[in-house]
Amino acid sequence: MAIQMVLFFALASCTKNSTPESDSGLLNSGSGSFVFSYSELPQKPINVFYHIPSGDRQNMPIVMVFHGDERNAIDYRNIWVKASDQYGFMVFAPEFTIADFPSGSSYIIGNVYQDGNFPTPQTLNKETIWTFSIIEPLFDFIKTNSGSNALTYDLFGHSGGGQFVHRFVLLKPNARYNKAIAANSGWYTVPDGVANFPYGIMNSPITSIQPQNYFGRQLYITVGELDNYGSDSSLRHNTASDLQGLNRLDRAHYFFSNSQSYAQKMNSEFNWIFRVVPNSGHDPTKMSNDAVPILFP
């Protein structure tokens, strides 16, 4: 698949020591940004904020970080810079703007349906235009332009980004990610064999995927122990979401417990891990700091 791309570098976002490395692709060391244009959605170019530490690029791990509803990818990139330098990995934070991905259906539900909140068989989009389908071509672009020989990448998403990540795991079983961390998600697509999409997997493309193919992958469900308030105006409340709990902490417990039960029912290996993060609420920095030793033990 041909991928069109345009690169630009914003001097304001580059570190002082950023220098071109002609033998390592087009991306400078340090912090910067580029525009990625996915061939199936060329009308929706994506700003990608990154940081590449000094060192052997060929063997550097790659981490993709996903923002929440504020669509503030640069802030998420900045949170991960210190760890990137300390542990020697590249970090990339794609930004799904409100202008081009204007609703939860377009971003956190992945544009799987024309309106993911009210899916029907007739409104199922072709997989090539799912938002989830952007990630693998982006990985190839990163490898080509950074000089990386990485065979896999890791994923971290917080809040709305956590929703994006756990649905990516369910809907993209053949993706080349290694570990995926979904932190402080507001609500979930629960693989329990009961609920309909988007709150469950029934009546969706996920039902054609063998449960082993997603339960067998490394997905970490993390949630702050203090993310237990239900009055947050950004937290969805309706009959279906409230069955999962009235706050993010309870919903994370619900998601993991019901997923584990369904895996047992389907005789599937279950490699998902649940973690409550002490002394953290809905805090992207604390949740990111907790994620680093999971990815780099």
Side-chain angles (χ1 to χ4, degrees):
M1 177 183 296
I3 301 174
Q4 300 174 340
M5 67 286 287
V6 179
L7 282 170
F8 74 90
F9 295 93
L11 295 178
S13 65
C14 292
T15 62
K16 271 185 174 181
N17 297 323
S18 292
T19 56
E21 301 191 16
S22 58
D23 59 342
S24 299
L26 300 174
L27 298 180
N28 291 346
S29 294
S31 295
S33 61
F34 60 86
V35 176
F36 175 72
S37 182
Y38 172 48
S39 62
E40 295 294 325
L41 294 168
Q43 75 280 19
K44 297 183 178 184
I46 295 172
N47 292 328
V48 181
F49 299 89
Y50 73 87
H51 184 78
I52 301 176
S54 59
D56 178 11
R57 290 183 173 206
Q58 291 186 350
N59 297 310
M60 277 186 190
I62 291 172
V63 178
M64 294 196 202
V65 176
F66 296 87
H67 58 71
D69 287 343
E70 293 183 8
R71 316 297 179 106
N72 53 336
I74 190 170
D75 294 332
Y76 279 80
R77 188 277 312 275
N78 291 344
I79 289 171
W80 282 75
V81 166
K82 182 178 179 180
S84 171
D85 286 332
Q86 180 178 353
Y87 290 89
F89 63 87
M90 306 182 199
V91 60
F92 296 86
E95 185 170 77
F96 298 93
T97 64
I98 291 176
D100 287 332
F101 301 88
S103 65
S105 180
S106 300
Y107 174 41
I108 65 173
I109 312 179
N111 200 43
V112 176
Y113 292 87
Q114 293 175 24
D115 185 345
N117 294 295
F118 302 98
T120 67
Q122 295 75 25
T123 60
L124 177 66
N125 288 324
K126 61 180 182 178
E127 186 171 354
T128 55
I129 66 168
W130 295 356
T131 311
F132 301 127
S133 296
I134 296 170
I135 305 309
E136 286 281 293
L138 175 58
F139 176 53
D140 287 328
F141 175 85
I142 289 168
K143 288 183 60 178
T144 298
N145 291 282
S146 68
S148 171
N149 289 333
L151 299 178
T152 63
Y153 53 93
D154 295 313
L155 301 169
F156 170 84
H158 178 259
S159 193
Q163 295 198 46
F164 181 91
V165 166
H166 87 264
R167 294 187 180 101
F168 180 88
V169 169
L170 292 171
L171 282 153
K172 288 292 186 179
N174 297 320
R176 290 166 288 174
Y177 70 92
N178 178 28
K179 295 178 181 179
I181 302 175
N184 285 350
S185 298
W187 57 281
Y188 295 86
T189 295
V190 185
D192 59 6
V194 176
N196 290 326
F197 194 84
Y199 300 97
I201 64 172
M202 303 309 292
N203 296 314
S204 81
I206 303 170
T207 57
S208 65
I209 300 170
Q210 291 297 317
Q212 171 71 26
N213 291 344
Y214 47 81
F215 285 139
R217 305 297 296 271
Q218 294 187 78
L219 173 62
Y220 292 77
I221 306 301
T222 67
V223 63
E225 70 169 342
L226 304 178
D227 204 350
N228 58 358
Y229 43 91
S231 58
D232 185 340
S233 61
S234 67
L235 190 62
R236 178 177 296 201
H237 286 291
N238 58 37
T239 301
S241 62
D242 286 353
L243 284 174
Q244 300 177 7
L246 298 180
N247 58 64
R248 292 183 182 88
L249 180 62
D250 289 346
R251 291 176 181 184
H253 277 286
Y254 181 93
F255 175 72
F256 185 81
S257 176
N258 282 267
S259 298
Q260 187 173 45
S261 295
Y262 187 61
Q264 292 171 350
K265 178 180 178 181
M266 301 303 290
N267 296 314
S268 173
E269 179 183 9
F270 188 71
N271 288 332
W272 295 5
I273 294 173
F274 180 72
R275 172 169 169 73
V276 176
V277 180
N279 302 313
S280 179
H282 201 66
D283 188 322
T285 300
K286 288 183 177 180
M287 299 304 291
S288 295
N289 291 341
D290 182 80
V292 172
I294 293 174
L295 300 180
F296 304 99

